[in-house]
Amino acid sequence: AAAALRRGGVIAVPTDTIYGFAASAANGDAVRRLYEIKGRRAGVPLAIAVGDVRDVGTYGDDGHLREGALARLLPGPTTVLLRRRRGDAGRATPELNPGVDLIGIRVPAHDFVREVCRAHGGAIALTSANRSGETSATAAEEFAELWDACDEVFDGGAIPAKRLGSTIVDLSSRANDFAIVRAGERCDELVRVLE
């Protein structure tokens, strides 16, 4: 999987919520290809996934958060929105969400996808494995018509989730406020942790 990402490929992977399409967040051509496979409008932002909580600060500004805040939320079915780091410090291609100040970052509670991030050596752009507007997939066969567009498809079996995707929480405020942008898996539990 990591080798395919380094070659600029797009792969399909299981996560803790749904199946996703992934590409290297550092490769502009791969990010564009991911949009094409999904049929997604270019202006709709993509989230990224990293292997460990300590990697979040490489891509998003987490310096204003209370110590240990991210470790209480991640890994898990949560996407945190933070102000994006730009330039070399951010290590993501400018083609990833151009003109968008915030970036969604995940550390999935799924060993395989986290190990892929570690082996790849950086973040992966990650979006649900389906065409835009269609139902999210919790089994690889549910998006079989898109397999040929991928360089590799990794079948992790059925994912025991509700097809909600991750809960997106905006943590970009300097005042340590939070806002739920999208209620997804385990949203109620997440709100209790944040409060």
Side-chain angles (χ1 to χ4, degrees):
L5 292 171
R6 283 193 291 273
R7 289 191 307 267
V10 173
I11 63 175
V13 294
T15 75
D16 53 347
T17 55
I18 54 179
Y19 275 81
F21 291 137
S24 172
N27 185 319
D29 290 336
V31 168
R32 282 190 293 276
R33 192 162 156 241
L34 189 150
Y35 271 95
E36 289 170 13
I37 292 170
K38 185 162 178 72
R40 190 172 194 158
R41 288 183 298 115
V44 179
L46 292 171
I48 62 171
V50 294
D52 297 286
V53 175
R54 67 177 174 268
D55 301 326
V56 171
T58 301
Y59 300 92
D61 180 6
D62 62 352
H64 64 288
L65 298 175
R66 283 178 239 142
E67 188 172 339
L70 290 176
R72 289 195 330 266
L73 303 172
L74 303 168
T78 307
T79 300
V80 296
L81 286 177
L82 295 169
R83 297 223 171 271
R84 182 176 176 169
R85 292 196 187 276
R86 299 286 178 178
D88 290 341
R91 294 177 47 196
T93 180
E95 285 88 352
L96 181 74
N97 308 337
V100 178
D101 290 333
L102 302 183
I103 187 161
I105 307 172
R106 291 207 64 207
V107 182
H110 194 282
D111 290 341
F112 175 74
V113 74
R114 291 179 66 199
E115 192 56 40
V116 168
C117 292
R118 292 178 191 127
H120 168 48
I124 58 173
L126 186 65
T127 186
S128 57
N130 58 296
R131 292 213 187 273
S132 284
E134 294 182 359
T135 303
S136 299
T138 57
E141 59 270 10
E142 293 176 357
F143 61 96
E145 72 280 2
L146 298 173
W147 288 1
D148 287 345
C150 298
D151 294 80
E152 300 282 347
V153 176
F154 296 91
D155 187 346
I159 298 170
K162 301 174 187 170
R163 299 182 196 271
L164 298 175
S166 62
T167 293
I168 301 175
V169 59
D170 187 342
L171 297 177
S172 65
S173 170
R174 297 282 177 199
N176 281 313
D177 292 331
F178 73 92
I180 301 297
V181 176
R182 179 181 76 191
E185 295 287 336
R186 295 175 39 202
C187 182
D188 292 342
E189 179 183 326
L190 176 66
V191 169
R192 285 193 296 275
V193 169
L194 290 165
E195 290 175 338

